[in-house]
Amino acid sequence: EPEVTQTPSHQVTQMGQEVILRCVPISNHLYFYWYRQILGQKVEFLVSFYNNEISEKSEIFDDQFSVERPDGSNFTLKIRSTKLEDSAMYFCASSDRPGPYEQYFGPGTRLTVT
Amino acid sequence: AQSVTQLGSHVSVSEGALVLLRCNYSSSVPPYLFWYVQYPNQGLQLLLKYTSAATLVKGINGFEAEFKKSETSFHLTKPSAHMSDAAEYFCAVSELQGAQKLVFGQGTRLTINP
């Protein structure tokens, strides 16, 4: 069964460093999403992406964040200068259609900023 | 703005007992509602979804949920708990009109006692 994969599973970085979280969505999907979950808090929407551009983003997704689909398979989330409060589990999701239909989630990347 | 409240961050039931996980939502337009499950070290997996058809929705692994507009609820139930049901459960809402993001509740950790 097709699945969304994410690498790495755990990333430790120092404050101020840049990190890139990688996702490989399901191959025929066209809609891509990033969510995050700070420990003990809700899963929060960050951004959605379609046709090589951002279609919606949350207030969390400020200038420190960017997303990219550098090739036909990967979907990345970059944090330019990490802060302690960026420590969270980051989930990638993909869907084959827009709107409130099933989004398929990856296992997540746990980002720890020290 | 949409929101979801899950009553009880931790629910514990005996094997074979009824499982009831509570979810209340707030939405200004007719919502789409979802329950996702997360097993340890895995991504979020869709259990079931309500998309304005039947109010009683059946999902995988014997779970079902009933949409009650008057109560703004979408509680998840399973008649007889199994040890393999131990996981984190997330209720989520999305609006029909163009929204692509899922808004999640804080999650409920279900523990099954032998």
Side-chain angles (χ1 to χ4, degrees), chain B residues 10-25:
Chain B
H10 191 185
V11 170
S12 182
V13 302
S14 298
E15 190 174 18
L18 171 71
V19 174
L20 171 61
L21 305 183
R22 299 178 187 274
C23 172
N24 288 89
Y25 71 91

Side-chain angles (χ1 to χ4, degrees), chain A residues 31-58:
Chain A
Y31 302 87
F32 313 112
Y33 312 84
W34 284 102
Y35 293 81
R36 79 172 186 190
Q37 184 181 29
I38 295 172
L39 189 64
Q41 298 186 23
K42 297 183 178 187
V43 176
E44 303 171 289
F45 169 78
L46 291 177
V47 65
S48 58
F49 189 86
Y50 168 69
N51 199 26
N52 274 323
E53 59 183 34
I54 291 172
S55 43
E56 187 176 358
K57 61 182 181 180
S58 71

Side-chain angles (χ1 to χ4, degrees), chain B:
Chain B
Q2 310 157 86
S3 67
V4 172
T5 301
Q6 290 182 241
L7 291 176
S9 58
H10 191 185
V11 170
S12 182
V13 302
S14 298
E15 190 174 18
L18 171 71
V19 174
L20 171 61
L21 305 183
R22 299 178 187 274
C23 172
N24 288 89
Y25 71 91
S26 171
S27 178
S28 57
V29 298
Y32 279 11
L33 292 157
F34 305 80
W35 275 98
Y36 278 84
V37 61
Q38 184 181 30
Y39 299 103
N41 301 316
Q42 295 187 28
L44 300 169
Q45 179 185 2
L46 183 68
L47 268 181
L48 49 80
K49 62 185 178 187
Y50 166 75
T51 57
S52 74
T55 56
L56 182 63
V57 181
K58 294 188 185 298
I60 62 172
N61 301 339
F63 284 93
E64 63 182 35
E66 186 172 8
F67 173 69
K68 292 187 176 179
K69 184 178 178 180
S70 61
E71 298 177 9
T72 60
S73 68
F74 190 58
H75 301 331
L76 181 71
T77 60
K78 182 174 180 178
S80 178
H82 192 271
M83 296 298 291
S84 61
D85 295 327
E88 185 101 20
Y89 292 80
F90 295 92
C91 182
V93 64
S94 183
E95 291 180 353
L96 171 61
Q97 296 167 359
Q100 298 175 24
K101 65 183 180 186
L102 293 171
V103 175
F104 285 88
Q106 76 272 29
T108 298
R109 180 165 298 279
L110 177 64
T111 302
I112 311 297
N113 302 313

